[in-house]
Amino acid sequence: PRAMRRATARVVGIATKRISRNLERSLDRAARRAHATRAIGALKLWPSVRRLCEEHGVDPETLVPGSGPGGHLIAADVLRRVGAVDAATLEKLGLRPPAIARDERPKTLLEDYEYGLARGQRAEDAATTKMRRTIASRLTESKTRTPHAYASADVDLSEVAALRRRVMDASGLKVSVNDCVMYAVGRALREVPELNAGWDDATGGRRAYESVDVCVAVATDDGLITPIVTRADEKTLTEIGADVKGLAKKAREGALKPHEFMGGSFSVSNLGMFGVDAFSAILNPPQGAIL
């Protein structure tokens, strides 16, 4: 019985030591895997590379840069670390960390200018039409010689949208938001005649206009032109819409007569159809205001 107790104690001790060593090894592997998992989370890895790192408890940060394009880690990097493949085999396959390319892009404005000269940047001069030169001259003179004061407001156009639908249902005619703006401007200038005016260089004072003639900016291939909707305060919405469409067509065809675009008492320039919320227009001289 005594020998049996001693033998049993010895066997239990041996088993306990083995269990302890196995437990230590298991805990060590678990710790390495946990650390590798935390490191993996901070890197962008291929799924196969991620799985190999987790299985073998390899910290991927110790393998950076890898053998893949741009220094990315590939499965062969992990296999080489765990001894499953040797460096010579990787060399034969052409898998080795690439040299880091030197960043030669310009970092300052002066370097950017010199970089452009070194590359021999090319430029092409485009001829300017007589019309565009006239526009540039008139607007430059207006902006530099005429005080510009800007004001803005947000307007709810839900009633305008309802009005457009009613006109469509009643007559089948399409009226645009710009037509409605022109209609409203004509009525507003009739109610506030002080704004239906311009500047007279000859007299050095304000010139009040009897007729409410509203210019509308139209873009053409040759440049911007402003045909005139005459007596806008007396015309209906559909009449204004027809005038704007007809004048815009003639403007793009170059068929406007001088009296159709020279003069006017007020201007409307609309870029809303291009997704523009607001912009700072330049006065159309000698007019005193623009919307």
Side-chain angles (χ1 to χ4, degrees), residues 131-209:
M131 180 177 177
R132 287 190 182 276
R133 287 196 298 270
T134 302
I135 293 170
S137 175
R138 283 173 55 82
L139 294 186
T140 300
E141 181 180 1
S142 173
K143 189 64 176 177
T144 54
R145 291 187 56 189
T146 308
H148 282 60
Y150 295 99
S152 62
D154 292 332
V155 180
D156 182 2
L157 293 185
S158 55
E159 292 297 328
V160 170
L163 173 63
R164 295 174 63 199
R165 285 194 296 271
R166 288 199 299 272
V167 173
M168 171 63 77
D169 294 340
S171 62
L173 297 175
K174 290 183 178 181
V175 293
S176 67
V177 172
N178 198 66
D179 296 337
C180 296
V181 171
M182 295 284 290
Y183 178 89
V185 165
R187 268 59 181 175
L189 290 174
R190 184 175 62 189
E191 294 181 11
V192 187
E194 293 83 3
L195 202 58
N196 190 49
W199 179 259
D200 189 350
D201 276 331
T203 62
R206 170 178 167 273
R207 170 179 289 181
Y209 300 106

Side-chain angles (χ1 to χ4, degrees), residues 129 131-132 135 215-229 242-262:
T129 63
M131 180 177 177
R132 287 190 182 276
I135 293 170
C215 300
V216 56
V218 176
T220 70
D221 293 338
D222 292 329
L224 193 70
I225 194 167
T226 51
I228 307 166
V229 176
D243 278 4
V244 171
K245 288 183 179 67
L247 290 167
K249 184 175 183 294
K250 292 177 70 175
R252 295 189 178 101
E253 294 174 350
L256 286 174
K257 297 177 180 178
H259 72 273
E260 292 178 314
F261 65 90
M262 295 180 66

Side-chain angles (χ1 to χ4, degrees), residues 31-204:
R32 289 202 308 272
R33 287 177 180 174
H35 177 73
T37 301
R38 287 194 298 271
I40 288 168
L43 292 175
K44 293 182 178 179
L45 303 173
W46 295 105
S48 58
V49 177
R50 184 186 302 274
R51 184 174 63 254
L52 284 172
C53 287
E54 291 175 348
E55 290 177 354
H56 297 282
V58 176
D59 182 355
E61 292 182 349
T62 62
L63 303 176
V64 177
S67 303
H72 288 290
L73 291 178
I74 59 176
D77 296 317
V78 184
L79 295 175
R80 181 176 60 180
R81 172 59 59 87
V82 299
V85 64
D86 56 18
T89 303
L90 291 178
E91 289 290 337
K92 290 179 181 179
L93 296 175
L95 298 174
R96 53 182 179 274
I100 298 176
R102 180 184 172 188
D103 187 2
E104 297 180 350
R105 290 174 298 181
K107 298 178 177 61
T108 66
L109 186 61
L110 180 59
E111 289 181 2
D112 184 72
Y113 174 71
E114 294 174 345
Y115 182 72
L117 290 179
R119 292 184 61 193
Q121 287 182 342
R122 299 178 180 178
E124 181 180 351
D125 294 330
T128 304
T129 63
K130 182 179 179 180
M131 180 177 177
R132 287 190 182 276
R133 287 196 298 270
T134 302
I135 293 170
S137 175
R138 283 173 55 82
L139 294 186
T140 300
E141 181 180 1
S142 173
K143 189 64 176 177
T144 54
R145 291 187 56 189
T146 308
H148 282 60
Y150 295 99
S152 62
D154 292 332
V155 180
D156 182 2
L157 293 185
S158 55
E159 292 297 328
V160 170
L163 173 63
R164 295 174 63 199
R165 285 194 296 271
R166 288 199 299 272
V167 173
M168 171 63 77
D169 294 340
S171 62
L173 297 175
K174 290 183 178 181
V175 293
S176 67
V177 172
N178 198 66
D179 296 337
C180 296
V181 171
M182 295 284 290
Y183 178 89
V185 165
R187 268 59 181 175
L189 290 174
R190 184 175 62 189
E191 294 181 11
V192 187
E194 293 83 3
L195 202 58
N196 190 49
W199 179 259
D200 189 350
D201 276 331
T203 62

